[in-house]
């Protein structure tokens, strides 16, 4: 009851805003008291309303009351502090459902700050003080608050378990060591703790070393990320620059072709216009001469006719139609064909080189991945299949390409291929347009009386940096083979 009375006294001299003892107490017109700074801060937030209220009874005041320190109340609070009025515990000092409560406190229990392994109870800060002050508690072991203190008591002998049985791997009391655990490998709990502590330290060192290793790996990976981003950004920038240059070059060539065509157009049209004007003048003169002749032909006086006839001017030399040679309107079609050929060649180059570019991009692999199992069956090989097309610009003249340049037939007659520097002229060979790298697996369909051998080679599959070489040695007299389709 005395403690409750002190609690009530404290509440009577506490500020309802800060919930602590009054500091520089002031009384406002409604009679309630507060710390001067507390009520000032509260009213500062109400300045916009120009109406000030009491935090407890909500009575309002206008204008803002003038605050004067209550010296009598201030002296009383100071006197109560000197006489030992202790601050009541705040709500957060009381034990909750998840906290370890002080076993000594009565009524509402405070949080325990330590547990004693000898007393097997937990203490709040106040009740723990004797353990610090009295020499009788010097050998007591204090630990962090624990709800499992009773687990340290042997359920069989009701003794504190200070031993450890290594045979059964469990904590025991001294009586257990001479009873059911007699003859077992037993040590003190402290000794076992020291042993396990050393193992724990070794485990921690290993963990810490692994943490350091992983942090180094993380740092290295971060550097790799930065390097990849930097390299990619630089490559994208350079590629954009190169492609922009190509586009500018194409634009210039397009402009040059347009300018040349227009210039030639103007030249040819001028020549035709000049000839048209000459013909128009000749037609005008002929029409005038015809009119004179017609007029003279209608003269009835014979003497007058004979007199005027010699005065007729002779005809000028005529432009013969055979001198006007008009070529068929296909002059500029040759330009279109030439431009188309350039386009086709550019497409071929881009198609051939794009495979290298794309493969080079996909080969950028920082992390080492687990190697895939080497394929053994046809189905496993087919997972990596790709289409191969043959290049007609390289085909031997007796090779006929068909089925979208995926099929080649050896013919007895030469085919009408245009001249090309890459064309094979001696062996029956043709190159593929696609480039392949690394180990390759081939499937080639053969038809007819054809066998496959290494020497003499009937089908040789060779590779070079930019394309794959299909070499077909068919129709060799030494092999005794007929022309066949494969």
């Amino acid at each position: 009851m005395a403690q409750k009375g002190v609690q009530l006294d404290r509440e009577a001299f506490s500020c309802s805003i800060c919930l602590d003892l009054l500091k520089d107490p002031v009384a406002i017109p409604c009679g309630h008291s507060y710390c001067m700074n507390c009520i000032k801060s509260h009213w500062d937030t109400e300045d916009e309303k120009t109406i000030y209220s009491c935090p407890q009874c909500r009575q309002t005041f206008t204008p803002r009351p003038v605050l004067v320190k209550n010296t009598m109340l201030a002296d009383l609070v100071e006197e109560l502090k000197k006489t030992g009025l202790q601050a009541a515990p705040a709500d957060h000092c009381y034990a909750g459902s998840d906290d370890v409560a002080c076993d000594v406190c009565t009524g509402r229990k405070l949080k325990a700050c330590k547990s004693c392994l000898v007393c097997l109870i937990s203490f709040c800060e106040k009740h723990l003080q004797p353990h610090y002050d009295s020499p009788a508690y010097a050998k007591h072991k204090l630990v962090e608050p624990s709800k499992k203190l009773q687990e340290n008591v042997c359920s069989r002998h009701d003794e504190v378990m200070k031993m450890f049985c290594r045979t059964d791997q469990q904590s025991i009391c001294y009586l257990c060591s001479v009873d059911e655990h007699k003859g077992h490998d037993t040590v003190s709990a402290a000794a076992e703790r020291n042993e396990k502590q050393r193992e724990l330290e070794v485990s921690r060192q290993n963990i810490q070393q692994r943490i350091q290793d992983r942090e180094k790996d993380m740092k290295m990976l971060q550097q790799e990320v930065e390097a990849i981003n930097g390299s990619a950004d630089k490559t994208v920038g350079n590629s954009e620059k190169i492609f922009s240059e190509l586009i500018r070059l194409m634009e210039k060539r397009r402009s040059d072709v347009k300018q040349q065509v227009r210039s030639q157009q103007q030249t040819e049209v001028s020549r035709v216009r000049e000839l048209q004007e000459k013909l128009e003048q000749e037609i005008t003169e002929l029409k005038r001469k015809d009119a004179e002749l017609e007029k003279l032909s209608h003269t009835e006086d014979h003497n007058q006719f004979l007199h005027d006839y010699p005065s007729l001017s002779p005809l000028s030399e005529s432009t013969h139609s055979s001198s006007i040679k008009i070529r068929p309107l296909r002059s500029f079609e040759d330009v279109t064909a030439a431009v188309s050929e350039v386009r086709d060649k550019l497409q071929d180059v881009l198609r051939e080189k794009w495979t290298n570019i794309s493969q080079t991009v996909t080969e950028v692999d920082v992390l080492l991945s687990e190697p895939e199992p080497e394929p053994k069956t046809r189905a496993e090989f087919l997972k990596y299949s790709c289409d191969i097309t043959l290049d007609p610009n390289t085909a031997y003249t007796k090779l006929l390409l068909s089925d979208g340049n995926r099929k080649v037939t050896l013919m007895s007659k030469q085919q009408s291929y245009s001249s090309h520097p890459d064309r094979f002229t001696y062996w029956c060979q043709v190159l593929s347009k696609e480039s392949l790298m690394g180990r390759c697996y081939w499937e080639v369909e053969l038809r007819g009386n054809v066998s496959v051998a290494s020497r003499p080679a009937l089908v040789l599959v060779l590779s070079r940096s930019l394309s794959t070489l299909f070499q077909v040695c068919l129709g060799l007299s030494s092999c005794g083979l007929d022309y066949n389709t494969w």
Side-chain angles (χ1 to χ4, degrees), residues 91-346:
D91 287 342
H92 66 269
C93 293
Y94 289 106
S97 58
D98 296 331
D99 300 318
V100 178
C102 175
D103 294 315
V104 181
C105 286
T106 59
R108 189 177 181 184
K109 294 182 177 294
L110 298 177
K111 291 181 182 179
C113 61
K114 292 289 182 181
S115 294
C116 179
L117 297 181
V118 177
C119 302
L120 295 179
I121 58 176
S122 300
F123 301 94
C124 64
E125 188 173 348
K126 176 182 178 181
H127 294 119
L128 181 64
Q129 197 62 37
H131 275 72
Y132 294 133
D133 299 338
S134 175
Y137 299 102
K139 294 183 178 181
H140 285 208
K141 179 68 173 179
L142 297 176
V143 296
E144 292 302 312
S146 174
K147 292 183 177 181
K148 300 180 179 180
L149 291 177
Q150 292 304 316
E151 294 180 4
N152 293 328
V153 178
C154 176
S155 60
R156 182 181 178 88
H157 302 105
D158 202 24
E159 293 285 341
V160 177
M161 294 185 292
K162 298 182 179 181
M163 307 288 291
F164 185 83
C165 178
R166 290 178 173 174
T167 304
D168 297 330
Q169 289 293 305
Q170 68 180 64
S171 297
I172 60 175
C173 67
Y174 177 75
L175 295 177
C176 290
S177 65
V178 297
D179 193 357
E180 64 266 25
H181 291 271
K182 184 178 181 180
H184 290 188
D185 183 9
T186 59
V187 295
S188 67
E192 183 65 16
R193 162 63 188 272
N194 291 335
E195 180 67 23
K196 291 294 190 288
Q197 184 72 28
R198 286 192 293 269
E199 295 178 3
L200 184 145
E201 292 300 328
V202 172
S203 297
R204 285 197 63 203
Q205 291 176 3
N206 292 335
I207 292 174
Q208 290 172 0
Q209 183 62 43
R210 290 179 62 181
I211 291 174
Q212 293 178 2
D213 294 341
R214 296 294 82 77
E215 288 177 345
K216 289 180 180 178
D217 293 340
M218 285 288 294
K219 185 176 180 180
M220 181 181 67
L221 291 176
Q222 182 60 33
Q223 292 174 349
E224 285 297 330
V225 169
E226 295 174 357
I228 291 171
N229 291 337
S231 178
D233 293 342
K234 183 178 179 180
T235 300
V236 169
N238 292 337
S239 300
E240 289 290 330
K241 182 179 178 181
I242 293 171
F243 280 113
S244 297
E245 292 174 357
L246 288 175
I247 293 172
R248 285 196 296 272
L249 178 60
M250 294 300 296
E251 291 288 345
K252 185 177 185 304
R253 290 291 179 257
R254 183 181 69 172
S255 177
D256 291 344
V257 170
K258 180 180 179 181
Q259 182 179 358
Q260 291 180 12
V261 170
R262 293 304 184 192
S263 177
Q264 187 65 22
Q265 174 191 10
Q266 184 176 3
T267 300
E268 294 300 321
V269 169
S270 297
R271 290 173 55 192
V272 173
R273 293 297 186 194
E274 182 179 350
L275 186 56
Q276 282 180 327
E277 290 176 1
K278 185 176 180 181
L279 292 175
E280 287 177 356
Q281 292 175 0
E282 184 175 348
I283 290 171
T284 301
E285 182 180 355
L286 290 173
K287 287 182 177 181
R288 182 184 58 78
K289 190 65 176 177
D290 182 62
E292 291 180 1
L293 294 177
E294 181 182 10
K295 181 179 179 181
L296 181 60
S297 66
H298 290 89
T299 303
E300 296 180 355
D301 187 346
H302 301 305
N303 292 329
Q304 185 65 35
F305 177 85
L306 295 174
H307 179 269
D308 293 340
Y309 184 80
S311 63
L312 294 175
S313 58
L315 291 175
S316 60
E317 184 178 353
S318 175
T319 302
H320 200 277
S321 298
S322 61
S323 64
I324 302 175
K325 296 182 179 180
I326 299 176
R327 293 186 296 272
L329 292 176
R330 58 181 301 276
S331 303
F332 294 111
E333 294 179 0
D334 295 338
V335 178
T336 302
V339 174
S340 298
E341 184 178 357
V342 172
R343 178 200 62 193
D344 296 340
K345 289 184 177 180
L346 285 176

Side-chain angles (χ1 to χ4, degrees), residues 9 15 25 34 110 138 187 301-302 321 352-353 414 463 467:
D9 288 343
C15 173
Y34 302 95
L110 298 177
V187 295
D301 187 346
H302 301 305
S321 298
E352 293 175 7
K353 299 300 181 183
Q414 291 192 354
S463 65
S467 59

